[in-house]
Every structure is written in C-alpha cells, then in structure tokens.
Amino acid sequence: QDNREEAFQKLAVEAKTTSQLDEDDFFLDLFKLNVYVEKYNFQNGVYLIANNNSNTVRQLAKSYLQQLYHFDFPIKHVESTTNG
C-alpha cells in the first residue's frame, strides 16, 4: 500500500486468543497499535482479547499506561462480554 492518508486507514486490529496473556506480548501489541494510529494514520486501533479474565486485562492495561510506553493514544474501557 502506498497511500497512508487517514481516509484510507480505517482499522488496525490485534487479536489474542491464548488463555495466558503474557505482559511483554500485551505491551508490545498495544505499542504496535499505537504506532499504527500515530504514525500510519489509522483511525482506529482495536485489541481483541479472548479467553482471559477481564480483571487481568484491566491490570495489564493499567500497568502499560503506568510504564509510559504509549504516546497520547487513548485507551477506552470496553466492558467484557463474559462474566470473567
């Protein structure tokens, strides 16, 4: 692809289905999504995580933000669709 205008960059997605989400992988994946949004003008970055407890994911996200690995990429809270 040779056109990086925002109008042509709709969605960057990272998906994980492993039941034991590793902190290093989580941090790297969020950082990559941040790069897609900030550098390559993607309008949306979505991190889809399945087979994990929502509290674990929240803790990983909180830790990521505290480490300051991100730019000004807003991480929006989305409720889990499971009971976990």
Side-chain angles (χ1 to χ4, degrees):
Q1 176 179 340
D2 59 358
N3 190 328
R4 292 192 179 143
E5 291 178 36
E6 186 175 344
F8 298 101
Q9 309 295 355
K10 299 295 184 188
L11 181 66
V13 177
E14 181 70 39
K16 293 290 186 208
T17 59
T18 181
S19 62
Q20 295 296 319
L21 189 58
D22 178 78
E23 183 179 82
D24 290 338
D25 289 340
F26 181 86
F27 284 13
L28 180 60
D29 292 339
L30 272 181
F31 186 80
K32 288 188 294 184
L33 282 172
N34 195 3
V35 169
Y36 290 133
V37 170
E38 294 296 323
K39 181 174 170 114
Y40 298 111
N41 298 319
F42 278 84
Q43 295 175 31
N44 299 285
V46 174
Y47 197 173
L48 175 64
I49 301 171
N51 303 320
N52 280 267
N53 181 293
S54 60
N55 289 328
T56 301
V57 175
R58 280 190 202 98
Q59 283 301 109
L60 287 169
K62 183 177 179 180
S63 180
Y64 178 82
L65 291 172
Q66 290 171 342
Q67 297 294 326
L68 302 177
Y69 293 136
H70 57 92
F71 303 115
D72 291 326
F73 182 65
I75 295 179
K76 296 178 184 174
H77 173 74
V78 177
E79 286 297 322
S80 172
T81 58
T82 67
N83 294 332

